[in-house]
Each structure stands twice: as C-alpha cells, then as structure tokens.
Amino acid sequence: MKIKKKAGHRHMTSFQIIILGFMGVILAGSLLLMLPWASRSGRWSSFSDTLFTATSAVCVTGLVVQVTATYWSAFGQVIILLLIQIGGLGFLTIATLFSKLLKRRRSRHGRGVMAASISSSGIGRITEITGTIGWGTLLFEGIGALLLCIRFIPERGFWEGLWFGIFHSVTAFCNAGFDIIGNYASLTAYYDDALVCVTLMALITTGGLGFLVWDDIKRNKLSWRRYELQTKLVLLTSLTLTVGGAVLFFFLERNRMNADMSFGEQVLVSFFSSVTPRTAGYNSVDTAALSPGSKLLTIILMFIGGSSGSTAGGIKTTTIAVLAVCLLSAARGKRDPEIFGRRISNDNVRQAGIMVFMNLSLALTGALLICLAQDFELTDVLFEV
C-alpha cells in the first residue's frame, strides 16, 4: 500500500512578496493616474508618464516628468499622495495596520515578512512596533500639517492651504520630495521662512531615522546607555551628516550663491541643503546654480540617504557607520571593529560592503547607459542617477 506524502505548502520568500507587492502598487497607481479625471486637461495620460510618476511616488524618489501642481487634478494628486504614503511606510506596514484595526491575527510567516520589510531581525514584537509606526506617523504628519497650515492658509485660503499643508507634510515625512508649488520651483520661495523650512527638516529627519529607532526611543526614553547599538549609530551618524553637511554647504556657498543673504538666512539654507538630500529632494535654492563642490556634497548625501527601516532611501546611515568604524579600527591597529563597547560582527561588515558595492555598481551602470543614450554633462547625469 502506497502512502502519498502530503504536499507541503510553499510560501513565497519575504523578498518575493515585497518585490511583487511594490510592483502591484506601482501598476495600480499607474492605471489610476491614466484615467481622464486624474489630469487637469480631462484627457487620458500616457502610460509612460503615469508609470514614471507612480514609480517615483512609491519609491519616494521625487523625480517628475509632469509638474505635479498644474498637470494633475485634485484626484490625481490624492492618488500620488496615497502612493507616497504606501511607499514611505511600506505596503506591508499598511496591510498590517489594517489587520490590527480589524483585530485579525497575522500568521508567523506574515509577521516574518513584515519584520523583513522594516529591517527587523525579530518578529516577537512586530505587531506592537507596527502600532508605533501607525500612531507615530499620524502624530508627526498631523503636527507637521498644522504647522505648515499656519503659513499656507493665509496665503492660499482655507481649503487650498489645508491641502498644501497635508500634502507637503506627508511628502516630507515620507522623504518623497514631491511638491505642489508649481514651475519646478520647489521651496525656493520659502528659503528664508523658518517655519516652513524647520518644519519640513524635522519631518524629513524624523521619517529618516527609522521605525526601529522610534521603538527603541519609545521604550527607553532618553536613556542613551540603554539604547540598541543600531539606535546609537543612527543618531550619531545622522547628527554628524546633518551638522557636517550644513557647515560644508555654508562655506562652499557663502561667497557664491548665498552671498546676498543675511547670516541667519545662510545658516537656514545650509541646514536645509544638508537635510533634504537624505533623501527628500526638496530645494530652497536653485540646485542648478550650486557650485561643483556643493553638487558633489549633495551627491554624497543622496547616496548615503536615511536609516534602515525608515521612509528614506540610500545605502543607509548604518551601512556607512559600520564601514567608518572598520576604517578607524584598522587605522588604530585593532583586529575587530568596536564602538560603544560593542563588537561589530563580520557578517555586518560583509553586508555593508556588499550594499555599497551593489549601489555603486547600479549608479555607475545607470550613469553610463544614460551617457550612451544622451549627450548630457557627466555631473548632471551622476546627480540625477
């Protein structure tokens, strides 16, 4: 008598689910943006334009082929904002939040996929962390929108000013860089407005710190000693990049593009120029008019990006921190890299090296392909890539 073996149920890997999920969201967004009522003209939009826009929104890149303020209707702008929110938090985070609201228990495999999507090594507290993400996002974006409305409502009336506040708060928190100011001007009209610039910088930084860092700070309050190593590395690296970048921008542009500004305006512009490349994409001064040194610094900051499990992109602050610690340890003749009394494992060092190599390879390959297809300046191509 033959006994048939029960076929085991095969789950897709976390990587496959994340990739397919993002592709599905991008495709759905592209099709919705093609609809006639998504554009102000009332006509069908080309699939190439909507695919680019949806991809840029979900991947929180901020690049556009149509002016968001004038080409897309209110419906189209809402779709773009939803794509940004899904892309910033991750579609799995959104799905888990809905499951939590409906009081549905997720399977162990589902919790594992969710943990992978926010770069968490464990699944034990993933549902609780998801709750922190949901409430934290609502709180930060809500406060940001209220502060921005103080400026936008008197300028544009209640409903338009309210929409401006909500839209820019969400896009800043999600590090997306989309704006509805118009004419590709971004925030150049507000370069000297501390309320707008500081609010956006705070949102960008908060979203770029990462959800696991939020959870660690929530649990341990202001006790630096009790923070996880990742939290310490993220906070230290983010502070170093923000302040260091601002100082460099200040001196690079002090006697050039910012020469006619007051000292306070130069400081505000320098900090904004340091924060927004990682990886929001706003600009409060003319990016094309930056000096070569400032463009190179911007490229470096864009390449590094935000932190693991955050709304930002880039190779991540933890990656660059691990490699920096390795270099310092080697310079001091130490065999094993250590920081804050903790040893960094060889696996973490290897992963950091792979991450940098892969992203450099992709960036250089993309730049080379664009140079083959179009006759652009190399600096401009590298900047966009």
Side-chain angles (χ1 to χ4, degrees):
M1 178 179 179
K2 283 189 175 181
I3 300 177
K4 293 184 179 179
K5 292 183 179 179
K6 187 177 180 179
H9 181 67
R10 293 185 62 186
H11 289 291
M12 287 192 295
T13 65
S14 300
F15 178 78
Q16 290 172 330
I17 293 174
I18 292 170
I19 291 296
L20 290 175
F22 270 101
M23 289 176 62
V25 172
I26 289 171
L27 180 59
S30 303
L31 296 176
L32 287 172
L33 289 175
M34 286 182 67
L35 298 174
W37 48 86
S39 64
R40 290 186 183 272
S41 65
R43 299 175 181 175
W44 291 84
S45 299
S46 68
F47 182 68
S48 60
D49 282 356
T50 62
L51 179 62
F52 188 98
T53 303
T55 303
S56 182
V58 173
C59 297
V60 290
T61 305
L63 297 175
V64 295
V65 289
Q66 299 289 351
V67 180
T68 309
T70 56
Y71 183 83
W72 303 108
S73 65
F75 173 79
Q77 290 178 11
V78 169
I79 295 299
I80 290 172
L81 194 65
L82 289 174
L83 293 175
I84 290 170
Q85 188 74 86
I86 293 171
L89 297 184
F91 76 95
L92 286 171
T93 303
I94 303 293
T96 304
L97 285 171
F98 274 110
S99 296
K100 190 176 176 67
L101 288 173
L102 297 174
K103 297 182 179 180
R104 292 182 178 178
R105 185 177 178 84
R106 293 184 68 85
S107 66
R108 181 178 177 83
H109 178 69
R111 296 198 303 273
V113 175
M114 176 61 202
S117 71
I118 62 170
S119 303
S120 175
S121 58
I123 63 173
R125 298 182 57 256
I126 197 64
T127 304
E128 182 181 344
I129 293 173
T130 306
T132 300
I133 295 172
W135 286 112
T137 299
L138 189 64
L139 175 66
F140 294 130
E141 290 182 351
I143 293 174
L146 287 174
L147 291 173
L148 292 174
C149 283
I150 295 174
R151 178 67 68 241
F152 291 136
I153 288 178
E155 287 183 354
R156 302 174 180 273
F158 181 78
W159 292 113
E160 186 179 6
L162 178 63
W163 176 237
F164 266 59
I166 294 172
F167 189 94
H168 292 100
S169 179
V170 173
T171 56
F173 180 79
C174 291
N175 279 244
F178 279 77
D179 71 85
I180 47 176
I181 305 296
N183 298 320
Y184 298 110
S186 191
L187 296 164
T188 52
Y190 299 92
Y191 77 95
D192 58 347
D193 192 321
L195 175 62
V196 172
C197 290
V198 172
T199 299
L200 292 176
M201 283 191 286
L203 288 167
I204 293 166
T205 301
T206 304
L209 287 177
F211 307 132
L212 298 180
V213 173
W214 290 8
D215 181 65
D216 199 8
I217 294 175
K218 175 189 172 184
R219 287 185 293 112
N220 297 307
K221 305 301 186 289
L222 299 178
S223 178
W224 175 266
R225 183 178 58 83
R226 298 174 63 185
Y227 287 161
E228 298 286 343
L229 178 60
Q230 176 175 331
T231 301
K232 293 180 179 180
L233 287 175
V234 166
L235 294 177
L236 179 61
T237 307
S238 298
L239 180 63
T240 301
L241 290 172
T242 299
V243 176
V247 170
L248 289 172
F249 274 120
F250 180 84
F251 286 106
L252 283 167
E253 299 297 335
R254 183 179 184 182
N255 298 317
R256 295 175 62 92
M257 186 169 60
N258 301 340
D260 295 331
M261 299 180 186
S262 67
F263 177 79
E265 290 171 349
Q266 288 185 351
V267 171
L268 183 62
V269 165
S270 297
F271 269 98
F272 195 84
S273 298
S274 178
V275 170
T276 188
R278 308 176 36 246
T279 53
Y282 292 123
N283 57 285
S284 60
V285 292
D286 184 8
T287 304
L290 289 173
S291 65
S294 293
K295 288 182 180 179
L296 176 60
L297 178 58
T298 303
I299 289 172
I300 293 171
L301 292 174
M302 287 191 293
F303 185 73
I304 295 173
S307 304
S308 299
S310 73
T311 62
I315 63 170
K316 311 302 182 186
T317 53
T318 44
T319 301
I320 204 69
V322 167
L323 294 180
V325 170
C326 289
L327 288 173
L328 290 174
S329 297
R332 294 174 181 175
K334 291 185 178 181
R335 181 176 179 181
D336 298 318
E338 293 182 2
I339 188 170
F340 300 123
R342 297 282 299 277
R343 178 181 173 275
I344 298 177
S345 69
N346 291 330
D347 284 343
N348 287 333
V349 175
R350 181 175 59 84
Q351 289 172 2
I354 291 173
M355 179 67 70
V356 172
F357 179 79
M358 286 180 61
N359 280 273
L360 271 176
S361 299
L362 286 170
L364 293 175
T365 301
L368 182 61
L369 290 174
I370 292 176
C371 287
L372 288 171
Q374 299 285 342
D375 186 21
F376 294 139
E377 290 290 333
L378 179 59
T379 303
D380 295 338
V381 172
L382 289 174
F383 192 95
E384 298 300 333
V385 169

